[in-house]
Amino acid sequence: MKAPPRRPLVALAICAGIALAFLAAYYARMRPLPELEAFVQDLQTRFGRKTPVDERLVLIGVDKPAYLADFSDEEIQREPVLGEMRHTFPWSRAVWARLIEKLAAAGAKVIVFDFVFAAPGEGDEEFRAAIEKHRDRVVLGYNLNQTRTDRGGVLTEMQIPNGTVFTPAPGVSPLEDDRLGYVTIWPDADDVIRRAQYRMSGDQAGDVAAPEVRLESLAARAVRKFGRPELIPPGTNSLPFRYTGPPGFGFRPHPIGDVLSPKLWASNYGGGSFFAGKIVLVGPTAEIFHDVHPTPFAGGHRQMPGPEL
């Protein structure tokens, strides 16, 4: 059989291109060049090619502040940390310790926490022990809050994991320890996220690091621990990236309650085989945690949780 004619599709593509050109031209008359560049890039993000979903990346989301009645008494008896999750977040860090042990035993290659454990908390001793035991595959977040001075300098306030859960390797500063990566995401001037900065020099970091120190983002640390450092873009400048999809449509989060539930661990995750050989990112995905950022996507899908970014 002959393939159907492609002329209608070609005509439609031409019409769409002309319409976008007129729209861009109109926008150019109304806005300065930097805003026009952002406008065109946003159009590419919405209608252009997306980065395919990589099955080696898994997002575990804290999808609610408390699991009040989600687990049966039998499940809690089998997995006691589920009882801790009946309390309002933040939970005992024994939850994270158990999650590390469970994922590590399942063969997860890298376990990444998009949290900053800046203050002491309940369960720190267990969490610390799990981090030390699996130091070759765990990455924790730290935060850099930067402000520009009137003279062009950078003042930086840094939050790193508390000493109750993390101690740097001997002779290494905290920022150079490969178990820490910065979680800060810097938006463009209009507060929209279009770029990522995977590395920073000490000068760029401000007054928290020596000039020769090289800081790496949470994403860069994860890729390095995965054994693929060549995938980290070179240099220390922020770079535009291509989205996988609108918020919630690229990397759909797996609720942490499902992962820790003995019943769902067996039925949904093959007893853990699903996580074997993967990078597993754990972070807050519910709106109540307010870790959301504007993206180029329009309408109700504009805000994206930080862990998904």
Side-chain angles (χ1 to χ4, degrees):
M1 294 178 63
K2 292 184 178 180
R6 298 177 58 86
R7 290 180 182 176
L9 293 177
V10 173
L12 182 62
I14 292 174
C15 290
I18 293 173
L20 288 176
F22 272 108
L23 188 59
Y26 171 78
Y27 198 87
R29 295 178 58 189
M30 306 295 292
R31 301 290 184 182
L33 183 59
E35 291 191 24
L36 174 61
E37 291 175 350
F39 172 75
V40 173
Q41 186 175 342
D42 290 353
L43 287 178
Q44 291 176 331
T45 296
R46 295 173 197 163
F47 304 111
R49 186 162 62 96
K50 307 292 191 295
T51 298
V53 173
D54 194 319
E55 299 298 335
R56 295 170 296 179
L57 304 176
V58 178
L59 173 59
I60 294 178
V62 180
D63 59 324
K64 59 178 72 176
Y67 282 79
L68 297 176
D70 296 76
F71 311 118
S72 66
D73 292 339
E74 180 190 0
E75 282 192 291
I76 293 176
Q77 197 168 20
R78 292 174 60 192
E79 186 64 88
V81 294
L82 295 178
E84 300 289 349
M85 295 165 63
R86 284 181 167 177
H87 303 296
T88 302
F89 196 89
W91 304 316
S92 166
R93 288 170 185 166
V95 172
W96 312 125
R98 176 59 182 142
L99 184 62
I100 289 175
E101 293 291 353
K102 199 165 187 177
L103 291 171
K109 195 162 185 180
V110 189
I111 304 164
V112 188
F113 287 92
D114 191 2
F115 291 107
V116 179
F117 300 99
E122 182 184 345
D124 276 356
E125 186 175 342
E126 295 169 70
F127 190 30
R128 179 190 179 96
I131 293 169
E132 289 295 325
K133 179 180 177 183
H134 301 287
R135 59 185 304 122
D136 61 329
R137 68 177 83 194
V138 173
V139 183
L140 307 177
Y142 69 89
N143 202 24
L144 296 172
N145 295 317
Q146 295 183 317
T147 56
R148 296 280 177 181
T149 66
D150 294 338
R151 298 184 178 182
V154 178
L155 291 177
T156 305
E157 179 186 3
M158 182 174 63
Q159 293 178 306
I160 65 173
N162 192 275
T164 56
V165 298
F166 174 81
T167 301
V172 176
S173 73
L175 302 185
E176 294 178 289
D177 192 297
D178 69 356
R179 291 172 294 165
L180 289 189
Y182 58 81
V183 298
T184 314
I185 302 173
W186 290 275
D188 286 349
D190 58 356
D191 289 331
V192 176
I193 303 294
R194 302 183 183 90
R195 302 173 183 274
Q197 189 165 3
Y198 301 97
R199 292 189 176 102
M200 294 182 70
S201 66
D203 290 331
Q204 290 171 311
D207 52 353
V208 296
E212 66 274 10
V213 171
R214 289 295 180 266
L215 292 68
E216 289 192 335
S217 69
L218 197 73
R221 290 294 195 208
V223 170
R224 186 176 296 282
K225 290 230 170 190
F226 194 67
R228 299 296 304 276
E230 74 279 3
L231 295 179
I232 305 170
T236 59
N237 294 325
S238 61
L239 302 170
F241 67 91
R242 188 168 56 232
Y243 280 84
T244 298
F249 288 87
F251 293 93
R252 296 178 182 271
H254 298 265
I256 185 172
D258 291 4
V259 176
L260 286 174
S261 162
K263 179 173 61 177
L264 297 179
W265 176 259
S267 62
N268 292 0
Y269 302 109
S273 60
F274 172 80
F275 297 101
K278 296 180 179 178
I279 295 177
V280 183
L281 177 66
V282 186
T285 55
E287 290 186 10
I288 195 171
F289 295 112
H290 304 294
D291 183 13
V292 292
H293 305 268
T295 70
F297 295 98
H301 298 307
R302 181 176 172 83
Q303 298 279 339
M304 180 175 283
E308 187 178 356
L309 271 168

